[in-house]
Amino acid sequence: MTKLRFGMFGTGFWSTFQLNGWNETGEVECVALYNRTKSKALRLAEQFGIAAEHVYDDPAALLANEQLDFVDICTAIETHYPLTQMAADRGLAVVCQKPMATTLVECTALVEVCKVANVPLYINENWRWQYPMRQLKAALDTGRIGQVFRARIDYRTNFPVFDNQPFLKDVEQFILSDIGSHILDTARFLFGDATHLTCQTYRVHSDIKGEDVATVMLHMQSGATVVCEMSYASRREHDRFPETYVQIEGDRGFLELGPDYWIRETTDAGTLSTRHKPPRYSWADPAYDIVHSSIVPAQRNIARALKGLEHGETNGDDNLKTMQLVYKAYESAGEHRVIAL
């Protein structure tokens, strides 16, 4: 099948990795770029062989002048809804960066805009596509550890994330929106949907506006309890940013994704340990290797879904459930109460 043509909105920190990820899929071709600062878009265009006449500082002009199959929105969260509206009005499929939008109301409206226009919507959510996380899910689905009754998802680090993304210091809602959208989506991927939650947040770094620590406890439809711990202020002896650890307790065993991509499964038969190192790409930043490698299968799934070849996991309806967890967690933390979902 021919490659799908798309335009990318936004040429900031993540755009280089996202474009490389798209190229790795072999399914699509970026033919146009938009950025409010055109010089930044021109630099990225040169890097990826996109002619200058296909670079814009006006998103409406890009949409009017280019022949596209979809748009990839990789801009600041407050622009996601209006850019989605513009693309949907032209009948274009939308791929939107996480987190979906600034409020749960806006997230719901964004999904509805695409439904009314009858265009596909996918959220570029890659955490569930990390190679060791997929292998953990496969092991969990065998049922060897039995019925899950409790689990813990652990993302705690002291990595200086504000050094390469300084704009995060000024975000009013930080870790739940930024990392929580990943971690809570992973919880849904592994364990299904929740019925209610409670959350506590904390700010350790004194020079930021938002929270840099959050703990969310989910009560799942299955009856299991899942605790999600997130922190950019935890000093650990062996800090392996940006790895996520998972511990799962079942009535017949224990399953763990630990440091350095090791999965350990303990049952009456003993403990089986296997290592699941993610693939390495030359364009990936080694500090973000596991994250950047997960971009490829995430975007391959989206591209093939747009072609009608497979189910797109992170579609708008599915990710809306994740964003409900994010914004209900903020509500719980602000009101100090359990929130029904």
Side-chain angles (χ1 to χ4, degrees):
M1 297 181 70
T2 58
K3 293 183 177 180
L4 298 177
R5 295 166 56 89
F6 76 95
M8 175 173 275
F9 291 170
T11 60
F13 176 76
W14 283 103
S15 60
T16 300
F17 307 110
Q18 205 149 299
L19 280 179
N20 275 304
W22 283 121
N23 287 343
E24 290 285 350
T25 72
E27 303 275 0
V28 301
E29 178 185 8
C30 183
V31 298
L33 296 174
Y34 154 77
N35 198 73
R36 61 184 180 183
T37 305
K38 192 173 182 178
S39 58
K40 291 179 66 177
L42 286 167
R43 287 195 295 270
L44 191 68
E46 184 177 5
Q47 181 181 345
F48 284 89
I50 299 170
E53 59 263 33
H54 299 293
V55 177
Y56 301 83
D57 56 9
D58 178 358
L62 185 155
L63 293 173
N65 295 332
E66 301 289 341
Q67 294 296 313
L68 305 174
D69 295 299
F70 72 96
V71 297
D72 181 13
I73 299 173
C74 190
T75 52
I77 184 174
E78 64 271 13
T79 67
H80 290 180
Y81 178 81
L83 290 175
T84 295
Q85 177 79 72
M86 291 174 62
D89 285 347
R90 289 186 170 270
L92 292 173
V94 176
V95 178
C96 184
Q97 185 59 267
K98 50 65 62 181
M100 187 190 296
T102 60
T103 65
L104 185 56
V105 169
E106 192 174 64
C107 289
T108 303
L110 188 150
V111 172
E112 187 63 22
V113 159
C114 292
K115 286 184 177 180
V116 169
N118 196 30
V119 299
L121 169 65
Y122 295 99
I123 306 303
N124 214 329
E125 170 56 64
N126 59 55
W127 221 260
R128 63 165 68 189
W129 287 97
Q130 292 179 8
Y131 181 69
M133 199 66 71
R134 301 301 280 198
Q135 304 313 303
L136 181 74
K137 173 65 168 171
L140 178 63
D141 286 349
T142 66
R144 287 189 296 263
I145 70 163
Q147 180 68 35
V148 174
F149 59 86
R150 184 167 60 185
R152 173 187 179 193
I153 303 178
D154 174 1
Y155 180 90
R156 292 178 292 165
T157 179
N158 195 45
F159 184 83
V161 67
F162 307 109
D163 288 355
N164 57 25
Q165 299 178 79
F167 69 92
L168 292 174
K169 287 188 173 182
D170 296 320
V171 175
E172 297 282 353
Q173 295 180 326
F174 170 46
I175 203 166
L176 278 170
S177 178
D178 182 57
I179 288 298
S181 57
H182 285 314
I183 300 302
L184 295 171
D185 187 74
T186 299
R188 292 186 53 248
F189 168 65
L190 292 173
F191 308 112
D193 289 323
T195 61
H196 56 271
L197 63 77
T198 184
C199 174
Q200 291 187 327
T201 61
Y202 196 83
R203 185 173 65 216
V204 177
H205 288 86
S206 60
D207 59 341
I208 67 173
K209 290 185 178 180
E211 80 290 350
D212 52 5
V213 176
T215 305
V216 181
M217 186 167 71
L218 303 171
H219 182 80
M220 314 307 289
Q221 290 180 2
S222 66
T225 300
V226 179
V227 178
C228 301
E229 298 176 302
M230 296 152 267
S231 171
Y232 272 116
S234 298
R235 300 182 184 275
R236 310 177 83 162
E237 181 182 4
H238 302 291
D239 192 334
R240 296 191 59 87
F241 170 88
E243 292 182 31
T244 302
Y245 307 143
V246 184
Q247 296 179 342
I248 308 171
E249 299 174 67
D251 59 9
R252 296 202 306 271
F254 186 84
L255 188 61
E256 177 181 18
L257 170 59
D260 203 26
Y261 320 120
W262 281 93
I263 293 177
R264 293 177 173 83
E265 180 182 300
T266 301
T267 64
D268 288 344
T271 297
L272 174 65
S273 299
T274 54
R275 187 168 183 256
H276 301 273
K277 187 176 180 180
R280 178 103 237 294
Y281 295 100
S282 60
W283 46 264
D285 181 342
Y288 288 83
D289 203 22
I290 188 172
V291 174
H292 288 168
S293 65
S294 70
I295 291 172
V296 179
Q299 293 182 169
R300 181 180 292 116
N301 174 250
I302 291 172
R304 291 181 64 78
L306 288 170
K307 291 181 175 183
L309 299 176
E310 60 186 64
H311 171 69
E313 288 190 20
T314 56
N315 57 71
D317 284 333
D318 185 85
N319 196 255
L320 185 58
K321 296 178 182 179
T322 294
M323 297 313 298
Q324 181 187 34
L325 297 183
V326 170
Y327 289 114
K328 292 298 183 179
Y330 277 119
E331 184 179 336
S332 172
E335 299 180 5
H336 307 287
R337 66 182 181 92
V338 175
I339 302 291
L341 301 170

